[in-house]
Amino acid sequence: MDASCLQADAPLPDDVPTLQTLLRQVLVELARLRAENAELHGKLDAALKHRFGRRSERRPPQRVAGDAKPAPQRDPHGRAALPEQLPRREVVLDLTEAEKRCPCCGRPRVCIGTQTAEQLDLEPAHFFVLRTLKKSYACQHCKPESVPVEQRFQTAGPAEVGPIARGLCGPGLLAHVITAKFADHTPLHRLAGQLARSGVEIARSTLGDWLAGAADLLDPLYQLMHQRLLLSRVIHGDDTSVKLRVVGMNRTRKAHLWTCIGDADYPYVVFDFTAHYTAAGPERFLQGYQGYLQADALAQYEGLYGADKVQHCCCWAHARRKFVAAAEGGDDRANTALEWIRTLYAIERDLPPLLPPADDPVAVEQRRQREEQRRWWRQQQAGPVLTELKKWLDEHKGRALPKTVLGQAIGYALNNWAALQRYLEQGYLAIDNNLSERTLRCIALGRNNWGVIGSETGGQTAAVMYSLVGTCKHLGIDPFVYLRETLRGLFALGEKATAEQVREWLPDRWLLRHARESPVGQAPAG
């Protein structure tokens, strides 16, 4: 008799074996319903937290009995000093000649000091017409029939004025449009309105054409960044979804932007666009790469991993997030795992910082030694912690139902355990993949404003632009200043530019060149 077929008022069998069988079926069904109920509660809690809860993942540390350490003090409030590199315009307030005379004796009073007050002020962006005059010269002495035309005549400058041939926009305006769209998340229709308030009417479609032309110009630089990225010892990777308009239909479908961030030797943020969400995208983009990939346990990356291929270094922030969800759902057992993970992060804070890349042998050796110190310290300090955490996970695997939030957190950690502890292998690896998550925030902020990518070509344009702007942000460069100069420089090189010529316009090379030219401590001016 099946327990699920019994009605509330149905008669029960009289023999004991049948009753025992029926009871076992009831217990199995009850366990299944409890698991489903726990899973639904977990999904409901997660949905409510996502809709109404706080976004920060910070959790207050668990107080130990007798621990009387005071709470950390917040940074004091106060007015920050105004940047020294900004130009100063002085407005002098003085007394009139009549006011300078003493009201008692009538003789002139002497100035005994000046009180100074500084304010940060702004003038709206102003446009100007960049008129380029190219002078032509011809020899009037040589006979036309004896000298080729190209030797008798010469015109200064390139045949076309860039950065877009026969285009209306100058390098500063084009750099502003790129920065506004991809760094400040301003959609083109809103940007067109801003330009109109300054007296310049430019159609939204024209702005889109400018971006497409700029992407074509910047593509050799983008391709070079991609090639050099694959030389990194470690790459941080992640992805996020975007809406892609379907041509000829009044709907959208889900596409994806993938980000890869190189190491300190190749500090490039390179995006890729795919209209699908399959393994073909990352396998094509990372073809030939052999190093560490710091990423979440994403199925699309699985084909990259292998003994002589890419080594997966999993993200502890992702693993921690699942235990946080279990703890917030009321399962106090998750706090034990969170304490172990908190210890792992405390060890990371005590590690000596990594040294920047260098060319001279002494600095290279110092950098290698620092990485070895970090690796050794991690294995000594974090290794035992991971051993205890693994023991706890194994013990509680059978005590938490697989479909509960805690059960899923434990299952995720155990299934990816080898990749989660791989960061112990090298001192230059990170404990998590937060770097790429922070990088992808620009996409999350942008799609709330521009909403939809119009076509697959537009998606590739976005990948190029986000790569240049993202790398500038990664290196602390003002993207407008960099793009204004780079657009002009790449156009001057022309289509026959060599890889070495394009290499000089890489963001890190540009930054090094300007650091040598600029005064110490002063960033390139806009």
Side-chain angles (χ1 to χ4, degrees):
M1 180 180 294
D2 190 350
S4 61
C5 298
L6 285 176
Q7 301 295 325
D9 55 351
L12 294 176
D14 297 329
D15 58 300
V16 174
T18 304
L19 284 173
Q20 290 177 338
T21 301
L22 185 61
L23 180 58
R24 291 190 186 96
Q25 294 176 353
V26 169
L27 292 176
V28 170
E29 181 69 13
L30 180 61
R32 186 186 66 81
L33 293 175
R34 284 178 174 174
E36 290 183 355
N37 186 52
E39 182 182 5
L40 291 174
H41 272 288
K43 290 181 178 180
L44 178 60
D45 291 340
L48 291 174
K49 178 180 181 296
H50 183 269
R51 179 66 180 86
F52 301 107
R54 58 183 174 86
R55 296 292 182 181
S56 174
E57 294 179 5
R58 293 179 179 270
R59 290 177 58 80
Q62 301 295 319
R63 290 288 183 183
V64 180
D67 186 2
K69 290 191 296 184
Q73 298 293 323
R74 292 185 177 180
D75 293 334
H77 295 283
R79 178 180 296 181
L82 297 179
E84 290 295 331
Q85 67 267 25
L86 292 181
R88 261 63 177 176
R89 299 182 185 178
E90 291 188 352
V91 177
V92 180
L93 303 180
D94 202 353
L95 299 177
T96 65
E97 292 299 324
E99 292 172 334
K100 291 179 182 178
R101 295 187 175 277
C102 178
C104 298
C105 64
R107 288 178 288 187
R109 289 182 282 197
V110 178
C111 180
I112 59 173
T114 302
Q115 300 179 25
T116 303
E118 286 193 342
Q119 295 175 308
L120 191 62
D121 207 348
L122 170 71
E123 287 184 348
H126 63 280
F127 290 85
F128 61 93
V129 177
L130 182 63
R131 179 179 295 169
T132 301
L133 305 176
K134 301 190 296 182
K135 294 197 173 185
S136 300
Y137 291 83
C139 178
Q140 296 181 342
H141 304 287
C142 297
K143 295 181 179 180
E145 62 272 9
S146 60
V147 180
V149 174
E150 60 270 14
Q151 293 184 12
R152 293 182 58 235
F153 297 94
Q154 185 173 357
T155 301
E160 296 283 354
V161 177
I164 296 178
R166 298 180 298 278
L168 180 66
C169 59
L173 178 56
L174 185 55
H176 171 70
V177 172
I178 296 172
T179 303
K181 172 70 183 291
F182 297 99
D184 301 329
H185 324 297
T186 306
L188 294 184
H189 71 275
R190 196 179 302 164
L191 180 58
Q194 294 174 359
L195 298 176
R197 290 198 297 270
S198 298
V200 179
E201 297 285 346
I202 301 176
R204 173 184 176 182
S205 59
T206 301
L207 295 176
D209 293 339
W210 288 358
L211 291 178
D216 291 338
L217 180 61
L218 294 168
D219 187 68
L221 192 59
Y222 168 80
Q223 298 296 339
L224 183 58
M225 289 169 57
H226 181 204
Q227 295 170 14
R228 293 175 65 81
L229 169 84
L230 300 180
L231 301 176
S232 301
R233 294 183 293 178
V234 55
I235 291 176
H236 288 255
D238 207 346
D239 75 285
T240 189
S241 62
V242 290
K243 292 180 180 179
L244 176 65
R245 181 174 289 115
V246 179
V247 179
M249 302 186 69
N250 189 24
R251 65 180 181 87
T252 63
R253 62 188 177 95
K254 188 179 291 186
H256 283 263
L257 279 167
W258 307 74
T259 185
C260 287
I261 308 166
D263 59 19
D265 292 299
Y266 305 96
Y268 309 116
V269 177
V270 186
F271 281 84
D272 185 37
F273 173 82
T274 60
H276 50 76
Y277 197 43
T278 66
E283 288 178 1
R284 170 189 53 80
F285 195 71
L286 294 175
Q287 184 179 6
Y289 175 65
Q290 291 184 344
Y292 290 93
L293 177 63
Q294 301 227 211
D296 188 21
L298 192 64
Q300 284 78 355
Y301 289 135
E302 290 296 327
L304 297 170
Y305 304 139
D308 298 325
K309 300 166 68 176
V310 177
Q311 297 296 305
H312 181 205
C313 188
C314 203
C315 174
W316 269 106
H318 279 83
R320 176 186 179 275
R321 199 169 295 150
K322 298 179 184 299
F323 287 104
V324 169
E328 291 180 345
D331 198 328
D332 294 335
R333 294 175 294 177
N335 289 321
T336 303
L338 290 174
E339 281 299 313
W340 290 118
I341 299 173
R342 187 177 293 114
T343 303
L344 293 176
Y345 273 87
I347 294 170
E348 291 297 302
R349 289 191 291 270
D350 293 336
L351 291 177
L354 290 170
L355 296 177
D359 295 330
D360 62 285
V362 175
V364 170
E365 179 61 22
Q366 290 176 344
R367 185 184 181 204
R368 190 198 66 78
Q369 291 177 358
R370 177 64 60 83
E371 292 174 354
E372 179 60 24
Q373 290 173 1
R374 290 167 57 90
R375 185 194 67 82
W376 181 86
W377 185 254
R378 275 176 173 166
Q379 292 185 353
Q380 296 297 314
Q381 299 296 319
V385 176
L386 288 168
T387 300
E388 293 299 321
L389 176 55
K390 177 65 162 54
K391 187 186 301 182
W392 183 89
L393 293 171
D394 289 334
E395 291 175 353
H396 286 77
K397 179 181 178 181
R399 302 177 186 176
L401 295 174
K403 290 189 177 182
T404 62
V405 182
L406 180 61
Q408 293 175 353
I410 293 175
Y412 178 90
L414 289 176
N415 292 337
N416 298 283
W417 187 253
L420 281 170
Q421 61 178 353
R422 186 158 284 133
Y423 79 102
L424 301 181
E425 294 180 4
Q426 303 291 345
Y428 55 79
L429 296 176
I431 191 174
D432 56 37
N433 195 35
N434 286 347
L435 174 61
S436 60
E437 288 198 357
R438 290 193 299 268
T439 303
L440 282 177
R441 287 177 185 171
C442 64
I443 310 296
L445 291 171
R447 67 189 174 204
N448 289 335
N449 290 278
W450 40 255
V452 178
I453 291 180
S455 65
E456 294 189 26
T457 302
Q460 188 55 39
T461 295
V464 173
M465 297 306 182
Y466 275 124
S467 297
L468 272 299
V469 171
T471 302
C472 285
K473 183 177 180 181
H474 186 57
L475 296 175
I477 299 173
D478 182 347
F480 169 78
V481 177
Y482 167 76
L483 288 168
R484 181 181 58 183
E485 187 174 336
T486 301
L487 289 166
R488 185 189 297 117
L490 289 176
F491 185 83
L493 291 177
E495 295 181 356
K496 297 182 179 180
T498 64
E500 186 61 29
Q501 289 174 319
V502 175
R503 182 172 176 264
E504 290 302 310
W505 293 104
L506 289 168
D508 55 329
R509 301 280 296 184
W510 182 92
L511 179 62
L512 180 62
R513 185 166 63 249
H514 277 268
R516 291 169 178 168
E517 297 171 355
S518 302
V520 178
Q522 181 173 331

